[in-house]
């Protein structure tokens, strides 16, 4: 039996996964809907433009100064949109802006929660303890200690949770012009990170969230996935959607391992553990269940369990 210590807690939901002898985690099960199938969306169409609605007083020269990256010219917009007079634009009309021409606006991410030892190392060499609501920017390095964790929320709503003994560098976080196109690039030097990536409404078919490691880069559209690295071997497991991992596209329910010798072929994750005997909502611990029954006969080395609060801390029961 697996048992947690007795403690009074707010309402929680439980996520748990299996680890097999190859080191690839199984699918996640939840107390509310064990083994429930996920709805699959149709393949999205990649978009490369932003639609801007013209306001009174706009000119192509003013829009160039306001939205275009250095070196991009208003003449490109004029030709693309067949504008007769660049100084007289019709209010309410729509102009197409290629995303590749848009100015990059730096973004920050927010620390949602910090547990245990978690700190920030800035590019100037300063170091500070991280707490909830802190803002972090590109160039910052986030570090967690033993039995510690840290969760982040990015500008587009995507979230990442950093596990113990982890080191994550925020390499790039930008918005393209005033569009909703956001690009994020992270580097996991060591440890583990779980991410839920929000699909980009402007470029739904293009990877806009990238997780790099010393041995593999993961390109993400909109999905839920896990990754971990010790600097020599990296592993990725996809729980929802698809992830580009080296030469492979890893589908939902599959995982890969990577090292200096290459990237393995995707392998199926273990089935989600069986939680039908548990209540849909857990209000008090201890929480316990039969490990053998939950494993459904799989060759399991160990469980990994995570508890997520469904209500703010002030609603303690």
């Amino acid at each position: 039996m697996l048992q947690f210590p007795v403690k009074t807690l707010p309402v929680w939901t439980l996520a748990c996964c299996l680890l097999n002898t190859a080191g690839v985690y199984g699918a996640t099960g939840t107390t509310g809907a064990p083994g429930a199938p996920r709805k699959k969306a149709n393949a999205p169409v990649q978009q490369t433009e932003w639609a801007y609605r013209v306001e009174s007083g706009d000119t192509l020269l003013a829009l160039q100064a306001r939205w275009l990256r250095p070196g991009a010219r208003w003449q490109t917009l004029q030709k693309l949109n067949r504008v007769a007079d660049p100084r007289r634009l019709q209010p309410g009309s729509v102009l197409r802006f290629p995303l590749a021409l848009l100015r990059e606006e730096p973004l920050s991410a927010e620390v949602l929660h910090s547990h245990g030892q978690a700190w920030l190392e800035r590019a100037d060499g300063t170091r500070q303890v991280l707490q909830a609501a802190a803002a972090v920017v590109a160039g910052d390095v986030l570090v967690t200690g033993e039995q510690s964790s840290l969760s982040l929320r990015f500008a587009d709503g995507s979230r990442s949770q950093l596990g113990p003994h982890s080191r994550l560098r925020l390499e790039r976080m930008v918005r393209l012009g005033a569009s909703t196109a956001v690009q994020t690039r992270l580097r996991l030097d060591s440890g583990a990170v779980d991410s839920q990536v929000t699909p980009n409404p402007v470029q739904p078919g293009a990877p806009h969230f990238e997780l790099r490691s010393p041995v593999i880069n993961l390109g993400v559209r909109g999905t839920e996935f896990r990754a971990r690295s010790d600097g020599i071997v990296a592993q990725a497991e996809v729980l929802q959607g698809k992830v580009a991992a080296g030469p492979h596209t890893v589908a939902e329910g599959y995982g890969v391992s990577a090292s200096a010798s290459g990237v393995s072929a995707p392998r199926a994750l273990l089935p989600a553990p069986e939680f039908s005997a548990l209540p849909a909502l857990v209000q008090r611990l201890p929480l316990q269940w039969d490990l053998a029954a939950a494993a459904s006969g799989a060759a399991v080395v160990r469980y990994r369990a995570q508890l997520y609060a469904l209500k703010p801390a002030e609603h303690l029961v």
Side-chain angles (χ1 to χ4, degrees), residues 132-151:
V136 291
V137 298
D140 289 345
V141 178
L142 312 181
V143 186
T144 57
E146 183 179 2
Q147 296 297 314
S148 303
S149 64
L150 179 73
S151 64

Side-chain angles (χ1 to χ4, degrees), residues 37 50 79 95-96 102 112 123 133 139-140 157 168 172 190 241 254 273 292 297:
W50 168 51
K79 182 177 180 180
L95 292 179
R96 295 152 55 201
L102 291 177
L112 290 180
D140 289 345
L168 182 73
R172 171 180 165 87
S190 59
Y254 285 80

Side-chain angles (χ1 to χ4, degrees), residues 167-172 184-190 193 209-220 225 227-229 234:
R167 184 179 180 87
L168 182 73
R169 183 182 300 273
L170 308 179
E171 292 190 330
R172 171 180 165 87
T184 303
R185 186 174 71 232
L186 313 176
R187 178 181 173 87
L188 181 65
D189 292 326
S190 59
V193 61
F209 187 103
E210 184 180 4
L211 180 66
R212 297 151 54 93
S213 78
V215 293
I216 192 173
N217 296 337
L218 305 176
V220 184
F225 73 102
R228 60 188 183 276
S229 172

Side-chain angles (χ1 to χ4, degrees), residues 38-42 44 156-159 182 195-201 203-210 218-225 238-244 250-252:
R38 298 181 184 270
K39 183 179 180 181
K40 298 182 181 296
N42 295 328
D156 64 349
S158 298
R159 300 191 181 199
V182 172
S195 297
Q196 295 179 326
V197 179
T198 302
N200 192 316
Q203 287 185 293
H208 65 283
F209 187 103
E210 184 180 4
L218 305 176
V220 184
R221 295 169 174 84
T223 186
E224 182 179 351
F225 73 102
V238 181
L239 305 181
Q240 184 177 18
K242 296 180 180 179
V243 170
V250 186
E252 175 180 324

Side-chain angles (χ1 to χ4, degrees), residues 11 30 32 49 65 94 104 154 157 159 161 197 217 222 241 301 308 317:
V11 178
T30 61
E49 296 177 343
V94 175
E104 295 182 356
F154 299 93
R159 300 191 181 199
Q161 178 171 316
V197 179
N217 296 337
V301 175
Y308 298 93
V317 292

